[in-house]
């Protein structure tokens, strides 16, 4: 693999030479040299520089697209080659928080089973707090969760990006309004996840700049699963913050509606969690499978 492409990819996704240098453990002049070499090779600028800020040129956008495809092929090669190793049998115990286990992980598990039919997989479902607890108690080898806590015994690896959006049923009066502000939240009735949920943790953090706490909201119901919240919304005039991954079917069927919130975007990453310093062949194999199915951060 051309290391210059990895440098370009890191700069292009971080839009910062400084961050790229820190992430790749090389100096900033070295980053600049690699980018300059690529620009000389292709005889075109890849970045526009405006003081300390950089943006991709049209050529840079095209190269980023191809670079992602190249890295995906490399990840596929790594995964397919690793399946020829001896450690191809056994039981892999996974844990996933609710949204992930229902909407993200099923196609991943199906693909993994097609590649390695002799590996048995068990999946524990729970909220983020429960999955972390199971990992620490060695009840599972890998978790995929919605929140990132500060437990020093756990290694957190970014998985895929998610966005939490404000949702209501299509007959809700808010649909006509189309946009609300955070100041309107106190007059709305909410359905939220239970304490310990990664989703609730992210919402609480996002509302802090607006000096709004969950306790300030009119919480009509706390429910323990995404499906139960969706069902409740369809039968009430409540609103809820939900993962965009969880509501694609309801949006397509025109059952639920996203309401834009002025000056509020709630983005997060799902995280793969493993114990610090602990590495097992089956776990590594599964994570390689994830990285070739989704576009894991390099």
């Amino acid at each position: 693999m051309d290391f210059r492409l990895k440098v370009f990819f890191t700069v292009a996704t971080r839009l910062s030479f400084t961050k790229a240098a820190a992430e790749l453990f090389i100096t900033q002049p070295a980053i600049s040299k690699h980018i300059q070499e690529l620009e000389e090779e292709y005889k075109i600028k890849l970045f526009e520089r405006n003081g300390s800020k950089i943006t991709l040129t049209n050529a840079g956008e095209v190269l980023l697209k191809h670079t992602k495809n190249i890295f995906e092929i490399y990840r596929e090669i790594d995964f397919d080659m690793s399946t020829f190793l001896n450690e191809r049998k056994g039981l892999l115990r996974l844990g996933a928080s609710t949204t992930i286990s229902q909407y993200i992980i099923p196609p991943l598990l199906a693909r993994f089973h097609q590649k390695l039919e002799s590996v048995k997989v068990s999946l524990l479902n729970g909220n983020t707090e429960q999955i972390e607890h199971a990992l620490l108690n060695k009840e599972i080898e890998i978790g995929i969760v919605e929140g990132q806590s500060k437990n020093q015994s756990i290694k957190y690896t970014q998985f895929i990006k998610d966005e939490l959006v404000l949702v209501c049923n299509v007959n809700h009066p808010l649909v006509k309004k189309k946009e609300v502000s955070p100041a309107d939240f106190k007059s709305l009735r909410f359905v939220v996840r239970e304490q310990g949920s990664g989703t609730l943790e992210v919402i609480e953090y996002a509302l802090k700049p607006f000096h709004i706490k969950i306790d300030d909201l009119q919480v009509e119901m706390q429910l323990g699963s995404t499906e139960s919240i969706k069902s409740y919304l369809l039968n009430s005039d409540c609103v809820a913050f939900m993962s965009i991954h969880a509501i694609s079917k309801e949006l397509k069927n025109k059952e639920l509606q996203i309401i834009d919130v002025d000056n509020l975007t709630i983005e997060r990453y799902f995280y793969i969690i493993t114990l610090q310093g602990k590495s097992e062949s089956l776990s590594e194999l599964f994570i390689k499978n994830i990285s070739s199915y989704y576009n894991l951060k390099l």
Side-chain angles (χ1 to χ4, degrees):
M1 184 190 298
D2 189 336
F3 184 69
R4 294 177 306 174
L5 287 181
K6 188 165 186 177
V7 171
F8 166 77
F9 177 86
T10 309
V11 175
T13 51
R14 304 294 174 267
L15 291 178
S16 167
F17 281 66
T18 305
K19 290 179 181 178
E23 188 168 317
L24 296 173
F25 301 104
I26 60 176
T27 64
Q28 195 166 327
I31 293 282
S32 299
K33 181 174 180 292
H34 286 304
I35 297 300
Q36 183 181 352
E37 287 177 0
L38 282 175
E39 291 181 328
E40 289 174 355
E41 180 175 335
Y42 295 121
K43 298 179 175 58
I44 195 165
K45 286 177 67 176
L46 300 173
F47 295 96
E48 294 287 355
R49 297 161 177 83
N50 183 10
S52 60
K53 293 183 179 180
I54 61 170
T55 55
L56 282 165
T57 63
N58 289 339
E61 293 281 2
V62 171
L63 183 59
L64 178 59
K65 178 183 175 183
H66 287 305
T67 303
K68 287 178 178 178
N69 291 336
I70 290 168
F71 288 157
E72 184 174 340
I73 291 169
Y74 271 108
R75 287 191 292 268
E76 281 283 357
I77 292 171
D78 286 344
F79 176 74
D80 286 342
M81 292 300 100
S82 67
T83 62
F84 289 99
L85 298 174
N86 292 329
E87 296 285 346
R88 299 181 62 187
K89 295 182 179 180
L91 172 66
L92 181 62
R93 300 173 303 168
L94 305 178
S97 51
T98 310
T99 300
I100 296 163
S101 64
Q102 288 179 318
Y103 309 105
I104 305 294
I105 209 171
L108 187 155
L109 291 178
R111 178 182 184 274
F112 187 73
H113 179 70
Q114 288 168 2
K115 294 262 186 177
L116 292 170
E117 293 183 7
S118 60
V119 176
K120 303 300 180 186
V121 178
S122 68
L123 177 63
L124 173 69
N125 182 27
N127 63 35
T128 295
E129 191 176 87
Q130 291 165 338
I131 298 304
E132 289 186 346
H133 188 262
L135 180 69
L136 292 170
N137 285 344
K138 299 183 180 178
E139 297 165 10
I140 58 174
E141 283 80 48
I142 302 174
I144 309 178
V145 298
E146 301 164 31
Q148 182 184 17
S149 69
K150 304 294 183 184
N151 196 304
Q152 298 299 312
S153 301
I154 295 175
K155 177 184 177 183
Y156 297 85
T157 304
Q158 283 184 0
F159 181 27
I160 58 173
K161 205 170 197 178
D162 183 34
E163 183 179 359
L164 294 173
V165 291
L166 189 66
V167 181
C168 63
N169 74 55
V170 291
N171 297 315
H172 197 290
L174 276 183
V175 172
K176 294 178 182 177
K177 196 172 182 181
K178 293 189 177 178
E179 185 177 86
V180 298
S181 73
D184 297 321
F185 287 172
K186 293 181 182 180
S187 64
L188 301 175
R189 303 201 324 273
F190 281 81
V191 186
V192 300
R193 287 287 304 276
E194 78 288 356
Q195 290 297 326
S197 160
T199 299
L200 192 61
E201 175 187 324
V202 172
I203 294 167
E204 287 176 324
Y205 182 79
L207 294 181
K208 273 186 179 179
F210 303 97
H211 307 290
I212 299 173
K213 298 178 181 178
I214 295 295
D215 291 343
D216 297 330
L217 304 177
Q218 296 182 56
V219 176
E220 182 168 310
M221 193 71 60
Q222 279 192 318
L223 297 173
S225 76
T226 302
E227 284 298 310
S228 60
I229 289 178
K230 286 196 292 186
S231 181
Y232 197 94
L233 289 181
L234 291 173
N235 293 280
S236 75
D237 279 336
C238 287
V239 298
F241 283 105
M242 303 195 74
S243 165
I244 194 72
H245 291 285
I247 57 173
S248 56
K249 184 178 75 173
E250 287 76 17
L251 293 176
K252 184 179 178 181
N253 293 339
K254 298 187 179 350
E255 296 173 319
L256 294 177
Q257 174 77 36
I258 295 173
I259 303 299
D260 290 330
V261 182
D262 189 33
N263 291 322
L264 179 65
T265 300
I266 307 179
E267 293 181 335
R268 63 175 175 180
Y269 277 95
F270 294 141
Y271 290 87
I272 298 168
I273 59 171
T274 51
L275 290 176
Q276 288 282 13
K278 190 172 177 62
S279 178
E280 297 177 352
S281 55
L282 268 183
S283 298
E284 289 178 357
L285 204 56
F286 184 77
I287 291 172
K288 280 185 179 179
N289 183 58
I290 290 175
S291 68
S292 59
Y293 190 86
Y294 291 101
N295 189 18
L296 249 182
K297 173 188 166 188
L298 295 171

